[in-house]
Amino acid sequence: MSAARTARFTDRLRPTIRLRLTILYTSLFLGAGIVLLGLTYLLVQNNLQRQERPPEDRAFTAAAGPAMKSAAPMPGEASQLTVQRVQGVLIKGREDYQRETLNALLTQGGIALGLVGAAGLGFGWLLADRALRPVHAITETARRVARSHDLTERIAYEGPRDDVKELADTFDTMLGRLARAFDGQRRFVANASHELRTPLAINRTLVDVAVRRPDATDDVKRLGESLLVVNGRHERLIDGLLTLAGTENVVVDAGPLDLADVAGHVLRQAAPEARARGVTADRLFGPAPTSGDPVLVERLVQNLVENAIRHNRDGGEVHVATRGRDGWAELTVANTGPVVPAYEVETIFEPFRRLGNDRVRSDRGSGLGLSIVRATATAHGGTVTAAPRPEGGLVVTVRLPGRADAPLRAAPAGRSASTAAG
């Protein structure tokens, strides 16, 4: 856990591409300014050194020289003022002038370079944003496609033939190929399922007619009942395939609904099966407003409740709860049953996957229930998670985007439990 937290903290410290570009622009600008300031310093220094004496020094020496030469030394003086001493003073003044000039150049040039560098940092930030604007458009398109599952949308970037244009065109090509692949897969599943329904319907009719004949023997009736059970199982499998293929499309018939109402309706429908298996249903319904396709959401809740009842022990329990939390509508379905290993939890969401050797017990379902649940939740912009219970069974939680404009209502007081689940 500590390693994961450290990795997340390190990722947060990494600068974004916009910040990296800004730093790069500013570094290049400051580097060029430093080089320019250094060259200016060398040129000014060289120009000052090439001048032996300033013009005013030469004029002063020329005017003062004859006077100093004709002046006779006065008795008692400690030293004599000579031309050499005056020239030494002038040379020292010239050196001080050169040093002060170069220091002023460095100081004022450094201050100016710092101010211009700060301005360059701001302009670099704006230029980096402008340079990354096409990339932002690609990211926003990819985000909309991920949310809506609409693979028909394209970036259609209009710009020069550069790297960004090539990236946008490549992304559009990828979206086109994905759209064709998913459409072909859905059409194949739908067409195959529809084609299989016709022979199954014919088989069910023929078997039903054969069983109902007056001269049918007991063996024929028992065989016919077994064939009808197998036929019904295949029909449920095809219905599951159709639903799984349909839920991967974009949800276009979305309307306001409450998961509490849907769960209550599903529990009432599942009451006979719960009574037959001796399963007790415990409900705790709170307001969970959301938006979605009512048929698909009902199928989602129905699959969860049916799985909780069928994959349960005799006299077991099913707990169904709904609530709104942090802008999400949550549905939780928990049941008792055999202990589920944690490493096998994720596999039950894959089509035709069952726990352990439960594949042979296909009377409990087609193996598509939780796959349909996850596909439906994903199509609505939600998530599905499952966790094993230590005493046995699973806890499945579905989260769908909440409806912000839903009116608040009081949650039902207390709990209710009934064997009929209704």
Side-chain angles (χ1 to χ4, degrees):
M1 183 63 69
S2 59
R5 292 179 179 175
T6 304
R8 288 195 298 268
F9 180 73
T10 305
D11 292 339
R12 292 178 181 176
L13 292 180
R14 291 180 180 176
T16 61
I17 185 172
R18 183 179 180 182
L19 181 58
R20 292 199 297 268
L21 286 176
T22 303
I23 295 175
L24 177 62
Y25 295 156
T26 308
S27 301
L28 291 176
F29 183 81
L30 289 178
I34 291 173
V35 172
L36 180 61
L37 182 60
L39 291 176
T40 304
Y41 179 87
L42 293 177
L43 291 175
V44 172
Q45 185 184 40
N46 186 41
N47 188 47
L48 292 176
Q49 290 177 353
R50 287 170 56 186
Q51 299 178 0
E52 292 182 358
R53 287 180 299 176
E56 57 272 16
D57 290 351
R58 291 196 296 269
F60 177 81
T61 303
M68 289 185 293
K69 289 180 180 180
S70 60
M74 298 297 294
E77 290 181 345
S79 60
Q80 297 180 349
L81 183 63
T82 63
V83 176
Q84 290 79 7
R85 291 183 177 180
V86 173
Q87 289 179 346
V89 172
L90 294 178
I91 291 173
K92 185 177 183 302
R94 185 172 65 248
E95 291 177 351
D96 292 340
Y97 167 77
Q98 293 178 357
R99 184 169 57 255
E100 291 176 359
T101 301
L102 295 177
N103 290 337
L105 175 64
L106 286 178
T107 303
Q108 297 177 6
I111 294 174
L113 183 61
L115 295 176
V116 176
L121 183 65
F123 282 110
W125 180 262
L126 297 177
L127 289 176
D129 178 67
R130 184 175 182 84
L132 293 174
R133 195 168 297 171
V135 181
H136 294 162
I138 297 174
T139 304
E140 183 61 28
T141 302
R143 187 178 292 114
R144 286 197 304 269
V145 171
R147 285 197 303 261
S148 64
H149 301 272
D150 184 11
L151 296 178
T152 60
E153 188 173 0
R154 298 293 182 269
I155 298 174
Y157 175 71
E158 298 292 340
R161 300 294 305 180
D162 53 8
D163 295 339
V164 177
K165 174 68 173 176
E166 184 177 356
L167 174 62
D169 293 344
T170 303
F171 188 80
D172 287 342
T173 303
M174 181 189 67
L175 286 179
R177 291 182 177 179
L178 286 176
R180 289 192 295 271
F182 281 112
D183 288 341
Q185 179 185 8
R186 284 192 289 265
R187 283 197 302 269
F188 172 79
V189 174
N191 293 335
S193 300
H194 283 298
E195 289 296 328
L196 288 174
R197 273 182 169 178
T198 301
L200 288 177
I202 295 176
N203 289 341
R204 184 177 65 252
T205 303
L206 293 177
V207 172
D208 189 64
V209 170
V211 171
R212 293 178 182 274
R213 290 182 57 179
D215 57 346
T217 62
D218 294 338
D219 293 338
V220 172
K221 291 181 180 180
R222 284 194 296 270
L223 178 60
E225 292 174 356
S226 300
L227 291 176
L228 287 175
V229 171
V230 174
N231 201 83
R233 190 180 305 157
H234 291 165
E235 289 177 348
R236 290 193 300 272
L237 174 61
I238 293 174
D239 289 339
L241 289 174
L242 282 175
T243 305
L244 184 60
T247 51
E248 294 181 0
N249 291 319
V250 182
V251 178
V252 295
D253 189 17
L257 53 88
D258 197 314
L259 290 180
D261 299 334
V262 178
H265 174 69
V266 170
L267 281 177
R268 286 191 295 271
Q269 287 184 332
E273 185 175 1
R275 281 195 300 266
R277 293 180 177 269
V279 175
T280 301
D282 182 22
R283 66 180 67 187
L284 181 60
F285 291 161
T290 184
S291 299
D293 188 319
V295 177
L296 293 179
V297 174
E298 181 181 350
R299 183 62 182 268
L300 179 150
V301 180
Q302 182 181 3
N303 285 351
L304 289 178
V305 172
E306 288 180 352
N307 280 348
I309 294 174
R310 295 172 184 174
H311 299 275
N312 210 323
R313 56 179 173 80
D314 295 336
E317 298 177 355
V318 173
H319 305 273
V320 182
T322 60
R323 66 173 177 175
R325 180 183 181 186
D326 298 333
W328 294 87
E330 285 188 359
L331 167 70
T332 303
V333 179
N335 71 326
T336 55
V339 177
V340 180
Y343 58 84
E344 288 192 7
V345 170
E346 190 62 27
T347 62
I348 63 177
F349 288 99
E350 299 178 8
F352 306 109
R353 294 295 297 271
R354 299 180 179 89
L355 293 175
N357 297 324
D358 201 29
R359 179 179 295 273
V360 297
R361 301 190 64 179
S362 56
D363 59 313
R364 293 186 176 182
S366 58
L368 295 173
L370 292 181
S371 301
I372 295 173
V373 169
R374 171 163 286 183
T376 303
T378 303
H380 286 80
T383 59
V384 180
T385 57
R389 302 179 66 201
E391 62 273 17
L394 279 176
V395 178
V396 182
T397 303
V398 178
R399 302 184 72 196
L400 300 180
R403 200 171 75 250
D405 58 345
L408 296 177
R409 67 176 185 179
R415 298 186 173 203
S416 64
S418 67
T419 305

